Amino acid sequence: MPTLQQQAAAAINRHRSSLAAQIVAREFQRNPALQQRYGSAGRERCLEDAGYHLGYLAQAVAADHRGLFDDYVGWAKVMLARRGVPADDLASLLLHMREALPLALSPAHSRLAGSFIDGALEQLPRMADQVPSFISADMPLAALASSYLQALLKGERQLASRLVLGAVEGGASVRDVYLQVFQSTQREVGRLWQLNQIIVAQEHYCTAATQLVMSQLYPHVFAAKKTRGTVVTACVAGDLHELGARMVCDFFEMAGWHTRYLGANVPTPSIVQTLAELPAQVLAVSATIGYHLPAVQALIDAVRQSPRCAGVRILVGGYPFNLDPDLWRKLGADGSAADAAQSVTLMNRLEGPLA
């Protein structure tokens, strides 16, 4: 039977469209100046934002983790401020969300979800207005990461490739390049979009270019002798951010595992069938944001219920799991790791040393 948290989350998602409309109607009715400030296009964007707020609220409630919603509100505070929406407007929208919940939810569900909003509202004034860079000066490859990022932002993919290949030829570890250059710059690209310093097209270009440069390092990645079992790596249905999962797969490949990388947005039945047919010993699955946690839960449940997948170890990773170190337990996984290198370390610990 679903828990109270799961029931409340399902109710929010079921009524999300009508709740969002109620929230925005209240917002613009009580503050007529908003219509002049933002216009009809701004009202539509406000409606879209309300839907996102409700969606993230539902996922945090389902996971029974208030920090997930607090973190989202903190991210939204910075993102909206850089687009001309002050924190007071965000607070007002959250207040109207709190008031609208009883219109569609039962008293118990409304009280539970409302407590998440209350907590975020209390934290909002103290939430950071800035986001520090993900490229730290104390990283050994900080200079390379900065140069690589600048090349990508200028659209100079070939230069970016030469910088990385030259560094590896000069003795830089492929693993270090993955973690300190690729991972750090991708996170920095996301930060720059949040700060409204780049557009979505640039973000997508940087990701596509990095995937290409990663593929040019594959002679190094695939050089390891295969001494372990088989790992399947995938992003759950609805998750289009595949670079992290691909990095995990490559680290397992470099550690001597056979790998099968399925990519982004993979339907649950296809993942289960692949695990059974290979057969595989490990499933490594990524969730980029809290939005994807229900799909992760559905995948874990499907693997556990399949007799053909008995014994498969399930590792999870991604931003929500870094926020909540115990989230993997709640979903029924075997462990979670903060990055690709730690995923391999974790699996080695679960499997034990080689004979």
Side-chain angles (χ1 to χ4, degrees):
M1 180 177 178
T3 65
L4 177 66
Q5 290 81 4
Q6 292 168 337
Q7 292 173 11
I12 295 170
N13 283 324
R14 189 162 56 249
H15 298 287
R16 188 163 63 174
S17 295
S18 60
L19 279 170
Q22 286 280 353
I23 292 164
V24 174
R26 287 166 176 258
E27 178 81 354
F28 277 74
Q29 181 180 11
R30 296 185 185 180
N31 190 353
L34 293 176
Q35 186 65 40
Q36 292 182 334
R37 190 190 310 171
Y38 299 125
S40 58
R43 184 174 181 129
E44 287 300 314
R45 181 61 60 85
C46 188
L47 184 64
E48 184 179 50
D49 288 344
Y52 281 126
H53 298 340
L54 288 164
Y56 279 93
L57 173 64
Q59 303 316 323
V61 170
D64 194 21
H65 193 278
R66 298 172 191 275
L68 288 176
F69 190 62
D70 291 347
D71 182 79
Y72 166 73
V73 171
W75 176 88
K77 176 183 180 181
V78 175
M79 184 274 293
L80 291 171
R82 296 308 184 277
R83 289 158 177 81
V85 181
D88 287 346
D89 284 0
L90 174 59
S92 179
L93 195 69
L94 291 173
L95 280 170
H96 291 136
M97 181 189 301
R98 179 72 169 87
E99 294 176 358
L101 290 178
L103 300 176
L105 275 58
S106 71
H109 295 161
S110 178
R111 283 193 299 270
L112 175 61
S115 68
F116 280 65
I117 299 174
D118 291 341
L121 282 167
E122 182 181 352
Q123 295 290 329
L124 184 58
R126 297 189 292 274
M127 291 176 178
D129 296 314
Q130 298 287 339
V131 182
S133 173
F134 288 99
I135 299 177
S136 173
D138 60 1
M139 296 189 318
L141 297 181
L144 174 61
S146 296
S147 298
Y148 177 80
L149 176 62
Q150 291 307 310
L152 292 183
L153 293 177
K154 293 177 182 177
E156 297 177 352
R157 185 178 62 190
Q158 292 181 336
L159 172 58
S161 173
R162 289 198 298 270
L163 288 170
V164 167
L165 294 178
V168 172
E169 290 170 2
S173 160
V174 172
R175 292 174 174 81
D176 288 343
V177 168
Y178 266 56
L179 295 177
Q180 297 181 32
V181 179
F182 298 152
Q183 177 175 278
S184 297
T185 56
Q186 282 301 119
R187 290 176 174 173
E188 183 67 7
V189 165
R191 185 185 79 97
L192 293 175
W193 181 86
Q194 181 187 11
L195 298 179
N196 203 26
Q197 295 181 16
I198 63 173
I199 61 175
V200 171
Q202 287 175 285
E203 183 182 18
H204 289 184
Y205 174 84
C206 292
T207 300
T210 294
Q211 289 175 319
L212 176 63
V213 177
M214 285 172 62
S215 69
Q216 293 173 328
L217 294 177
Y218 274 9
H220 301 276
V221 172
F222 290 108
K225 182 180 179 181
K226 300 298 175 282
T227 58
R228 308 300 294 264
T230 299
V231 178
V232 171
T233 309
C235 299
V236 292
D239 192 345
L240 302 177
H241 298 80
E242 61 176 303
L243 199 59
R246 183 171 175 180
M247 290 178 63
V248 169
C249 186
D250 289 354
F251 265 70
F252 272 104
E253 188 76 33
M254 287 185 283
W257 290 76
H258 298 278
T259 64
R260 182 69 61 91
Y261 174 63
L262 303 184
N265 191 27
V266 188
T268 289
S270 294
I271 297 176
V272 174
Q273 182 176 348
T274 301
L275 289 170
E277 291 180 351
L278 280 175
Q281 289 74 49
V282 184
L283 169 63
V285 59
S286 170
T288 308
I289 54 178
Y291 237 69
H292 303 131
L293 292 178
V296 175
Q297 181 71 80
L299 173 58
I300 292 174
D301 291 345
V303 173
R304 299 301 192 207
Q305 292 166 10
S306 172
R308 300 177 67 194
C309 296
V312 171
R313 301 275 195 173
I314 303 176
L315 306 184
V316 291
Y319 189 65
F321 297 99
N322 293 341
L323 281 178
D324 183 356
D326 290 323
L327 183 57
W328 62 271
R329 298 181 190 274
K330 300 175 185 176
L331 299 185
D334 292 298
S336 177
D339 59 32
Q342 292 185 29
S343 295
V344 175
T345 300
L346 171 61
M347 196 60 230
N348 287 340
R349 186 169 70 248
L350 292 174
E351 291 278 292
L354 287 173

